[in-house]
PDB file of all heavy atoms in Angstrom:
ATOM      1  N   VAL A 845       6.967  26.041  18.333  1.00 96.00           N
ATOM      2  CA  VAL A 845       7.158  25.407  16.925  1.00 96.00           C
ATOM      3  C   VAL A 845       8.569  25.703  16.442  1.00 96.00           C
ATOM      4  O   VAL A 845       9.132  26.744  16.681  1.00 96.00           O
ATOM      5  CB  VAL A 845       6.094  25.959  16.014  1.00 96.00           C
ATOM      6  CG1 VAL A 845       6.277  27.523  15.841  1.00 96.00           C
ATOM      7  CG2 VAL A 845       6.141  25.317  14.686  1.00 96.00           C
ATOM      8  N   TYR A 846       9.122  24.714  15.868  1.00 98.00           N
ATOM      9  CA  TYR A 846      10.524  24.744  15.381  1.00 98.00           C
ATOM     10  C   TYR A 846      10.580  24.690  13.828  1.00 98.00           C
ATOM     11  O   TYR A 846       9.620  24.140  13.204  1.00 98.00           O
ATOM     12  CB  TYR A 846      11.320  23.663  15.928  1.00 98.00           C
ATOM     13  CG  TYR A 846      11.350  23.597  17.497  1.00 98.00           C
ATOM     14  CD1 TYR A 846      10.497  22.832  18.180  1.00 98.00           C
ATOM     15  CD2 TYR A 846      12.244  24.443  18.167  1.00 98.00           C
ATOM     16  CE1 TYR A 846      10.624  22.705  19.540  1.00 98.00           C
ATOM     17  CE2 TYR A 846      12.273  24.438  19.543  1.00 98.00           C
ATOM     18  CZ  TYR A 846      11.450  23.539  20.218  1.00 98.00           C
ATOM     19  OH  TYR A 846      11.460  23.506  21.627  1.00 98.00           O
ATOM     20  N   LEU A 847      11.605  25.254  13.280  1.00 98.00           N
ATOM     21  CA  LEU A 847      11.907  25.026  11.886  1.00 98.00           C
ATOM     22  C   LEU A 847      13.361  24.679  11.800  1.00 98.00           C
ATOM     23  O   LEU A 847      14.218  25.465  12.014  1.00 98.00           O
ATOM     24  CB  LEU A 847      11.631  26.340  11.036  1.00 98.00           C
ATOM     25  CG  LEU A 847      11.825  26.094   9.545  1.00 98.00           C
ATOM     26  CD1 LEU A 847      10.801  25.220   9.030  1.00 98.00           C
ATOM     27  CD2 LEU A 847      11.840  27.475   8.834  1.00 98.00           C
ATOM     28  N   GLN A 848      13.573  23.334  11.547  1.00 98.00           N
ATOM     29  CA  GLN A 848      14.933  22.853  11.333  1.00 98.00           C
ATOM     30  C   GLN A 848      15.294  23.088   9.797  1.00 98.00           C
ATOM     31  O   GLN A 848      14.602  22.589   9.011  1.00 98.00           O
ATOM     32  CB  GLN A 848      15.017  21.361  11.704  1.00 98.00           C
ATOM     33  CG  GLN A 848      16.465  20.814  11.525  1.00 98.00           C
ATOM     34  CD  GLN A 848      17.428  21.384  12.425  1.00 98.00           C
ATOM     35  OE1 GLN A 848      17.198  21.545  13.611  1.00 98.00           O
ATOM     36  NE2 GLN A 848      18.584  21.563  11.889  1.00 98.00           N
ATOM     37  N   MET A 849      16.369  23.847   9.592  1.00 98.00           N
ATOM     38  CA  MET A 849      16.772  24.163   8.237  1.00 98.00           C
ATOM     39  C   MET A 849      18.114  23.550   7.967  1.00 98.00           C
ATOM     40  O   MET A 849      19.079  23.883   8.670  1.00 98.00           O
ATOM     41  CB  MET A 849      16.886  25.627   8.046  1.00 98.00           C
ATOM     42  CG  MET A 849      15.470  26.288   8.322  1.00 98.00           C
ATOM     43  SD  MET A 849      15.526  28.134   8.058  1.00 98.00           S
ATOM     44  CE  MET A 849      16.627  28.706   9.299  1.00 98.00           C
ATOM     45  N   ASP A 850      18.193  22.594   7.116  1.00 98.00           N
ATOM     46  CA  ASP A 850      19.411  21.874   6.804  1.00 98.00           C
ATOM     47  C   ASP A 850      19.749  22.124   5.321  1.00 98.00           C
ATOM     48  O   ASP A 850      18.906  22.445   4.519  1.00 98.00           O
ATOM     49  CB  ASP A 850      19.304  20.347   7.012  1.00 98.00           C
ATOM     50  CG  ASP A 850      18.999  20.009   8.431  1.00 98.00           C
ATOM     51  OD1 ASP A 850      19.669  20.649   9.340  1.00 98.00           O
ATOM     52  OD2 ASP A 850      18.176  19.088   8.729  1.00 98.00           O
ATOM     53  N   ASN A 851      21.021  21.929   5.037  1.00 98.00           N
ATOM     54  CA  ASN A 851      21.494  22.098   3.723  1.00 98.00           C
ATOM     55  C   ASN A 851      21.034  23.463   3.103  1.00 98.00           C
ATOM     56  O   ASN A 851      20.526  23.555   2.094  1.00 98.00           O
ATOM     57  CB  ASN A 851      21.044  21.000   2.770  1.00 98.00           C
ATOM     58  CG  ASN A 851      21.699  20.945   1.391  1.00 98.00           C
ATOM     59  OD1 ASN A 851      22.787  21.468   1.215  1.00 98.00           O
ATOM     60  ND2 ASN A 851      21.004  20.399   0.393  1.00 98.00           N
ATOM     61  N   MET A 852      21.366  24.452   3.929  1.00 98.00           N
ATOM     62  CA  MET A 852      20.955  25.802   3.517  1.00 98.00           C
ATOM     63  C   MET A 852      21.622  26.339   2.259  1.00 98.00           C
ATOM     64  O   MET A 852      22.758  26.034   2.094  1.00 98.00           O
ATOM     65  CB  MET A 852      21.002  26.728   4.691  1.00 98.00           C
ATOM     66  CG  MET A 852      20.200  26.289   5.876  1.00 98.00           C
ATOM     67  SD  MET A 852      20.100  27.466   7.167  1.00 98.00           S
ATOM     68  CE  MET A 852      18.976  28.665   6.456  1.00 98.00           C
ATOM     69  N   LYS A 853      20.897  27.156   1.590  1.00 98.00           N
ATOM     70  CA  LYS A 853      21.333  27.795   0.382  1.00 98.00           C
ATOM     71  C   LYS A 853      21.284  29.286   0.360  1.00 98.00           C
ATOM     72  O   LYS A 853      20.462  29.747   1.138  1.00 98.00           O
ATOM     73  CB  LYS A 853      20.475  27.274  -0.789  1.00 98.00           C
ATOM     74  CG  LYS A 853      20.444  25.704  -1.054  1.00 98.00           C
ATOM     75  CD  LYS A 853      19.531  25.283  -2.151  1.00 98.00           C
ATOM     76  CE  LYS A 853      19.575  23.817  -2.251  1.00 98.00           C
ATOM     77  NZ  LYS A 853      18.637  23.359  -3.381  1.00 98.00           N
ATOM     78  N   PRO A 854      22.059  29.982  -0.396  1.00 97.00           N
ATOM     79  CA  PRO A 854      21.998  31.395  -0.367  1.00 97.00           C
ATOM     80  C   PRO A 854      20.598  31.981  -0.628  1.00 97.00           C
ATOM     81  O   PRO A 854      20.200  32.966  -0.078  1.00 97.00           O
ATOM     82  CB  PRO A 854      22.864  31.942  -1.517  1.00 97.00           C
ATOM     83  CG  PRO A 854      24.003  30.757  -1.464  1.00 97.00           C
ATOM     84  CD  PRO A 854      23.185  29.510  -1.170  1.00 97.00           C
ATOM     85  N   ASN A 855      19.714  31.200  -1.425  1.00 96.00           N
ATOM     86  CA  ASN A 855      18.376  31.711  -1.777  1.00 96.00           C
ATOM     87  C   ASN A 855      17.467  31.648  -0.471  1.00 96.00           C
ATOM     88  O   ASN A 855      16.355  32.140  -0.506  1.00 96.00           O
ATOM     89  CB  ASN A 855      17.796  30.926  -2.879  1.00 96.00           C
ATOM     90  CG  ASN A 855      18.344  31.296  -4.155  1.00 96.00           C
ATOM     91  OD1 ASN A 855      18.183  30.575  -5.092  1.00 96.00           O
ATOM     92  ND2 ASN A 855      18.950  32.514  -4.229  1.00 96.00           N
ATOM     93  N   ASP A 856      17.929  30.953   0.543  1.00 97.00           N
ATOM     94  CA  ASP A 856      17.161  30.869   1.765  1.00 97.00           C
ATOM     95  C   ASP A 856      17.309  32.207   2.630  1.00 97.00           C
ATOM     96  O   ASP A 856      16.609  32.321   3.637  1.00 97.00           O
ATOM     97  CB  ASP A 856      17.617  29.730   2.662  1.00 97.00           C
ATOM     98  CG  ASP A 856      17.313  28.381   1.976  1.00 97.00           C
ATOM     99  OD1 ASP A 856      16.294  28.304   1.450  1.00 97.00           O
ATOM    100  OD2 ASP A 856      18.144  27.404   2.207  1.00 97.00           O
ATOM    101  N   THR A 857      18.174  33.114   2.310  1.00 97.00           N
ATOM    102  CA  THR A 857      18.416  34.400   2.922  1.00 97.00           C
ATOM    103  C   THR A 857      17.118  35.113   2.841  1.00 97.00           C
ATOM    104  O   THR A 857      16.554  35.375   1.834  1.00 97.00           O
ATOM    105  CB  THR A 857      19.537  35.144   2.279  1.00 97.00           C
ATOM    106  OG1 THR A 857      20.772  34.382   2.444  1.00 97.00           O
ATOM    107  CG2 THR A 857      19.621  36.462   2.890  1.00 97.00           C
ATOM    108  N   ALA A 858      16.592  35.531   4.027  1.00 98.00           N
ATOM    109  CA  ALA A 858      15.275  36.248   4.168  1.00 98.00           C
ATOM    110  C   ALA A 858      15.084  36.543   5.574  1.00 98.00           C
ATOM    111  O   ALA A 858      15.756  36.074   6.530  1.00 98.00           O
ATOM    112  CB  ALA A 858      14.162  35.394   3.571  1.00 98.00           C
ATOM    113  N   THR A 859      14.062  37.339   5.892  1.00 98.00           N
ATOM    114  CA  THR A 859      13.559  37.465   7.228  1.00 98.00           C
ATOM    115  C   THR A 859      12.435  36.383   7.372  1.00 98.00           C
ATOM    116  O   THR A 859      11.527  36.292   6.534  1.00 98.00           O
ATOM    117  CB  THR A 859      12.884  38.854   7.472  1.00 98.00           C
ATOM    118  OG1 THR A 859      13.928  39.852   7.181  1.00 98.00           O
ATOM    119  CG2 THR A 859      12.365  38.957   8.798  1.00 98.00           C
ATOM    120  N   TYR A 860      12.483  35.718   8.424  1.00 98.00           N
ATOM    121  CA  TYR A 860      11.662  34.535   8.674  1.00 98.00           C
ATOM    122  C   TYR A 860      10.643  34.951   9.759  1.00 98.00           C
ATOM    123  O   TYR A 860      11.017  35.469  10.839  1.00 98.00           O
ATOM    124  CB  TYR A 860      12.417  33.296   9.078  1.00 98.00           C
ATOM    125  CG  TYR A 860      13.089  32.595   7.975  1.00 98.00           C
ATOM    126  CD1 TYR A 860      14.134  33.162   7.275  1.00 98.00           C
ATOM    127  CD2 TYR A 860      12.543  31.377   7.463  1.00 98.00           C
ATOM    128  CE1 TYR A 860      14.724  32.539   6.213  1.00 98.00           C
ATOM    129  CE2 TYR A 860      13.156  30.687   6.364  1.00 98.00           C
ATOM    130  CZ  TYR A 860      14.227  31.267   5.777  1.00 98.00           C
ATOM    131  OH  TYR A 860      14.804  30.716   4.725  1.00 98.00           O
ATOM    132  N   TYR A 861       9.399  34.602   9.530  1.00 98.00           N
ATOM    133  CA  TYR A 861       8.321  35.073  10.443  1.00 98.00           C
ATOM    134  C   TYR A 861       7.569  33.805  10.945  1.00 98.00           C
ATOM    135  O   TYR A 861       7.236  32.921  10.115  1.00 98.00           O
ATOM    136  CB  TYR A 861       7.339  35.983   9.794  1.00 98.00           C
ATOM    137  CG  TYR A 861       7.887  37.274   9.325  1.00 98.00           C
ATOM    138  CD1 TYR A 861       8.461  37.457   8.165  1.00 98.00           C
ATOM    139  CD2 TYR A 861       7.890  38.348  10.201  1.00 98.00           C
ATOM    140  CE1 TYR A 861       8.999  38.635   7.718  1.00 98.00           C
ATOM    141  CE2 TYR A 861       8.414  39.563   9.893  1.00 98.00           C
ATOM    142  CZ  TYR A 861       8.996  39.801   8.598  1.00 98.00           C
ATOM    143  OH  TYR A 861       9.429  41.054   8.245  1.00 98.00           O
ATOM    144  N   CYS A 862       7.225  33.788  12.107  1.00 97.00           N
ATOM    145  CA  CYS A 862       6.314  32.803  12.744  1.00 97.00           C
ATOM    146  C   CYS A 862       4.956  33.258  12.702  1.00 97.00           C
ATOM    147  O   CYS A 862       4.729  34.535  13.012  1.00 97.00           O
ATOM    148  CB  CYS A 862       6.744  32.439  14.096  1.00 97.00           C
ATOM    149  SG  CYS A 862       5.719  31.207  14.975  1.00 97.00           S
ATOM    150  N   ALA A 863       3.923  32.571  12.356  1.00 97.00           N
ATOM    151  CA  ALA A 863       2.559  32.976  12.301  1.00 97.00           C
ATOM    152  C   ALA A 863       1.612  32.050  12.872  1.00 97.00           C
ATOM    153  O   ALA A 863       1.906  30.772  12.904  1.00 97.00           O
ATOM    154  CB  ALA A 863       2.187  33.295  10.866  1.00 97.00           C
ATOM    155  N   ALA A 864       0.387  32.401  13.294  1.00 95.00           N
ATOM    156  CA  ALA A 864      -0.523  31.516  13.927  1.00 95.00           C
ATOM    157  C   ALA A 864      -1.922  31.946  13.555  1.00 95.00           C
ATOM    158  O   ALA A 864      -2.227  33.035  13.312  1.00 95.00           O
ATOM    159  CB  ALA A 864      -0.407  31.493  15.458  1.00 95.00           C
ATOM    160  N   ARG A 865      -2.806  30.875  13.404  1.00 93.00           N
ATOM    161  CA  ARG A 865      -4.277  31.172  13.312  1.00 93.00           C
ATOM    162  C   ARG A 865      -5.032  30.172  14.222  1.00 93.00           C
ATOM    163  O   ARG A 865      -4.615  29.040  14.268  1.00 93.00           O
ATOM    164  CB  ARG A 865      -4.639  31.097  11.829  1.00 93.00           C
ATOM    165  CG  ARG A 865      -4.643  29.684  11.196  1.00 93.00           C
ATOM    166  CD  ARG A 865      -4.898  29.624   9.742  1.00 93.00           C
ATOM    167  NE  ARG A 865      -6.227  30.167   9.402  1.00 93.00           N
ATOM    168  CZ  ARG A 865      -7.283  29.409   9.208  1.00 93.00           C
ATOM    169  NH1 ARG A 865      -7.215  28.130   9.252  1.00 93.00           N
ATOM    170  NH2 ARG A 865      -8.464  29.978   8.845  1.00 93.00           N
ATOM    171  N   VAL A 866      -6.148  30.566  14.600  1.00 89.00           N
ATOM    172  CA  VAL A 866      -7.028  29.633  15.283  1.00 89.00           C
ATOM    173  C   VAL A 866      -7.783  28.871  14.294  1.00 89.00           C
ATOM    174  O   VAL A 866      -8.344  29.441  13.307  1.00 89.00           O
ATOM    175  CB  VAL A 866      -8.037  30.443  16.194  1.00 89.00           C
ATOM    176  CG1 VAL A 866      -9.023  29.527  16.874  1.00 89.00           C
ATOM    177  CG2 VAL A 866      -7.286  31.211  17.296  1.00 89.00           C
ATOM    178  N   SER A 867      -7.805  27.604  14.491  1.00 85.00           N
ATOM    179  CA  SER A 867      -8.416  26.674  13.436  1.00 85.00           C
ATOM    180  C   SER A 867      -8.885  25.409  14.109  1.00 85.00           C
ATOM    181  O   SER A 867      -8.049  24.632  14.482  1.00 85.00           O
ATOM    182  CB  SER A 867      -7.440  26.432  12.335  1.00 85.00           C
ATOM    183  OG  SER A 867      -8.005  25.664  11.267  1.00 85.00           O
ATOM    184  N   SER A 868     -10.115  25.161  14.236  1.00 84.00           N
ATOM    185  CA  SER A 868     -10.690  23.933  14.826  1.00 84.00           C
ATOM    186  C   SER A 868     -11.008  23.046  13.647  1.00 84.00           C
ATOM    187  O   SER A 868     -11.985  23.185  12.897  1.00 84.00           O
ATOM    188  CB  SER A 868     -11.948  24.140  15.587  1.00 84.00           C
ATOM    189  OG  SER A 868     -11.635  25.075  16.704  1.00 84.00           O
ATOM    190  N   ARG A 869     -10.129  22.031  13.500  1.00 84.00           N
ATOM    191  CA  ARG A 869     -10.257  21.030  12.422  1.00 84.00           C
ATOM    192  C   ARG A 869     -10.047  19.654  12.887  1.00 84.00           C
ATOM    193  O   ARG A 869      -9.668  19.489  14.033  1.00 84.00           O
ATOM    194  CB  ARG A 869      -9.236  21.383  11.317  1.00 84.00           C
ATOM    195  CG  ARG A 869      -9.336  22.837  10.734  1.00 84.00           C
ATOM    196  CD  ARG A 869     -10.579  22.976   9.853  1.00 84.00           C
ATOM    197  NE  ARG A 869     -10.653  24.363   9.312  1.00 84.00           N
ATOM    198  CZ  ARG A 869     -11.504  24.728   8.455  1.00 84.00           C
ATOM    199  NH1 ARG A 869     -12.478  23.902   8.016  1.00 84.00           N
ATOM    200  NH2 ARG A 869     -11.466  25.904   7.989  1.00 84.00           N
ATOM    201  N   THR A 870     -10.214  18.768  11.977  1.00 79.00           N
ATOM    202  CA  THR A 870      -9.948  17.330  12.280  1.00 79.00           C
ATOM    203  C   THR A 870      -8.464  16.972  12.176  1.00 79.00           C
ATOM    204  O   THR A 870      -7.719  17.764  11.661  1.00 79.00           O
ATOM    205  CB  THR A 870     -10.678  16.415  11.259  1.00 79.00           C
ATOM    206  OG1 THR A 870     -10.229  16.685   9.891  1.00 79.00           O
ATOM    207  CG2 THR A 870     -12.197  16.648  11.294  1.00 79.00           C
ATOM    208  N   SER A 871      -8.170  15.832  12.776  1.00 77.00           N
ATOM    209  CA  SER A 871      -6.768  15.431  12.822  1.00 77.00           C
ATOM    210  C   SER A 871      -6.273  15.326  11.357  1.00 77.00           C
ATOM    211  O   SER A 871      -7.028  14.967  10.469  1.00 77.00           O
ATOM    212  CB  SER A 871      -6.676  14.143  13.550  1.00 77.00           C
ATOM    213  OG  SER A 871      -5.315  13.674  13.538  1.00 77.00           O
ATOM    214  N   ARG A 872      -5.046  15.662  11.147  1.00 78.00           N
ATOM    215  CA  ARG A 872      -4.271  15.533   9.936  1.00 78.00           C
ATOM    216  C   ARG A 872      -4.601  16.714   8.970  1.00 78.00           C
ATOM    217  O   ARG A 872      -4.175  16.748   7.778  1.00 78.00           O
ATOM    218  CB  ARG A 872      -4.505  14.241   9.226  1.00 78.00           C
ATOM    219  CG  ARG A 872      -4.426  13.076  10.027  1.00 78.00           C
ATOM    220  CD  ARG A 872      -3.123  12.975  10.885  1.00 78.00           C
ATOM    221  NE  ARG A 872      -1.967  12.940  10.128  1.00 78.00           N
ATOM    222  CZ  ARG A 872      -0.707  12.864  10.690  1.00 78.00           C
ATOM    223  NH1 ARG A 872      -0.592  12.873  11.982  1.00 78.00           N
ATOM    224  NH2 ARG A 872       0.312  12.852   9.910  1.00 78.00           N
ATOM    225  N   TYR A 873      -5.342  17.705   9.474  1.00 88.00           N
ATOM    226  CA  TYR A 873      -5.641  18.858   8.643  1.00 88.00           C
ATOM    227  C   TYR A 873      -4.396  19.601   8.234  1.00 88.00           C
ATOM    228  O   TYR A 873      -3.455  19.743   8.972  1.00 88.00           O
ATOM    229  CB  TYR A 873      -6.539  19.897   9.513  1.00 88.00           C
ATOM    230  CG  TYR A 873      -6.776  21.222   8.887  1.00 88.00           C
ATOM    231  CD1 TYR A 873      -7.540  21.341   7.688  1.00 88.00           C
ATOM    232  CD2 TYR A 873      -6.264  22.352   9.395  1.00 88.00           C
ATOM    233  CE1 TYR A 873      -7.762  22.514   7.162  1.00 88.00           C
ATOM    234  CE2 TYR A 873      -6.439  23.608   8.884  1.00 88.00           C
ATOM    235  CZ  TYR A 873      -7.189  23.716   7.728  1.00 88.00           C
ATOM    236  OH  TYR A 873      -7.423  24.939   7.175  1.00 88.00           O
ATOM    237  N   VAL A 874      -4.353  19.916   6.926  1.00 91.00           N
ATOM    238  CA  VAL A 874      -3.126  20.665   6.332  1.00 91.00           C
ATOM    239  C   VAL A 874      -3.540  22.190   6.335  1.00 91.00           C
ATOM    240  O   VAL A 874      -4.588  22.589   5.800  1.00 91.00           O
ATOM    241  CB  VAL A 874      -2.964  20.246   4.968  1.00 91.00           C
ATOM    242  CG1 VAL A 874      -1.704  21.022   4.379  1.00 91.00           C
ATOM    243  CG2 VAL A 874      -2.520  18.781   4.960  1.00 91.00           C
ATOM    244  N   CYS A 875      -2.774  22.943   7.037  1.00 94.00           N
ATOM    245  CA  CYS A 875      -2.972  24.385   7.186  1.00 94.00           C
ATOM    246  C   CYS A 875      -2.781  25.110   5.905  1.00 94.00           C
ATOM    247  O   CYS A 875      -2.076  24.737   4.995  1.00 94.00           O
ATOM    248  CB  CYS A 875      -2.082  24.960   8.242  1.00 94.00           C
ATOM    249  SG  CYS A 875      -2.389  24.303   9.945  1.00 94.00           S
ATOM    250  N   PRO A 876      -3.430  26.283   5.802  1.00 95.00           N
ATOM    251  CA  PRO A 876      -3.303  27.060   4.502  1.00 95.00           C
ATOM    252  C   PRO A 876      -1.944  27.650   4.478  1.00 95.00           C
ATOM    253  O   PRO A 876      -1.222  27.939   5.456  1.00 95.00           O
ATOM    254  CB  PRO A 876      -4.407  28.192   4.670  1.00 95.00           C
ATOM    255  CG  PRO A 876      -4.585  28.288   6.254  1.00 95.00           C
ATOM    256  CD  PRO A 876      -4.436  26.916   6.719  1.00 95.00           C
ATOM    257  N   SER A 877      -1.569  27.985   3.192  1.00 96.00           N
ATOM    258  CA  SER A 877      -0.155  28.440   2.962  1.00 96.00           C
ATOM    259  C   SER A 877      -0.262  29.965   2.625  1.00 96.00           C
ATOM    260  O   SER A 877       0.855  30.547   2.425  1.00 96.00           O
ATOM    261  CB  SER A 877       0.505  27.758   1.858  1.00 96.00           C
ATOM    262  OG  SER A 877      -0.226  27.812   0.640  1.00 96.00           O
ATOM    263  N   ASN A 878      -1.383  30.572   2.497  1.00 96.00           N
ATOM    264  CA  ASN A 878      -1.540  32.024   2.197  1.00 96.00           C
ATOM    265  C   ASN A 878      -1.385  32.820   3.476  1.00 96.00           C
ATOM    266  O   ASN A 878      -1.992  32.522   4.461  1.00 96.00           O
ATOM    267  CB  ASN A 878      -2.849  32.299   1.463  1.00 96.00           C
ATOM    268  CG  ASN A 878      -4.039  31.775   2.272  1.00 96.00           C
ATOM    269  OD1 ASN A 878      -4.158  30.644   2.502  1.00 96.00           O
ATOM    270  ND2 ASN A 878      -4.989  32.672   2.596  1.00 96.00           N
ATOM    271  N   ASP A 879      -0.613  33.834   3.427  1.00 96.00           N
ATOM    272  CA  ASP A 879      -0.162  34.594   4.605  1.00 96.00           C
ATOM    273  C   ASP A 879      -1.492  35.335   5.198  1.00 96.00           C
ATOM    274  O   ASP A 879      -1.374  35.534   6.417  1.00 96.00           O
ATOM    275  CB  ASP A 879       0.956  35.558   4.505  1.00 96.00           C
ATOM    276  CG  ASP A 879       0.581  36.619   3.402  1.00 96.00           C
ATOM    277  OD1 ASP A 879      -0.399  36.602   2.720  1.00 96.00           O
ATOM    278  OD2 ASP A 879       1.529  37.465   3.136  1.00 96.00           O
TER     279      ASP A 879
END
């Protein structure tokens, strides 16, 4: 999985983490945003 970051701003400064969860869902499912 990739994260393309364009037009970056100082507020983007952070430690970035990749995360995964097993999830059997239908097509076009939108994944949760809570860590």
Side-chain angles (χ1 to χ4, degrees):
V845 59
Y846 302 97
L847 184 68
Q848 178 67 41
M849 303 183 291
D850 296 320
N851 190 24
M852 299 190 72
K853 303 176 179 180
N855 287 162
D856 295 323
T857 296
T859 301
Y860 284 70
Y861 298 90
C862 180
R865 71 186 296 263
V866 176
S867 186
S868 297
R869 303 288 184 177
T870 59
S871 182
R872 317 309 297 181
Y873 172 67
V874 177
C875 296
S877 58
N878 52 304
D879 60 356

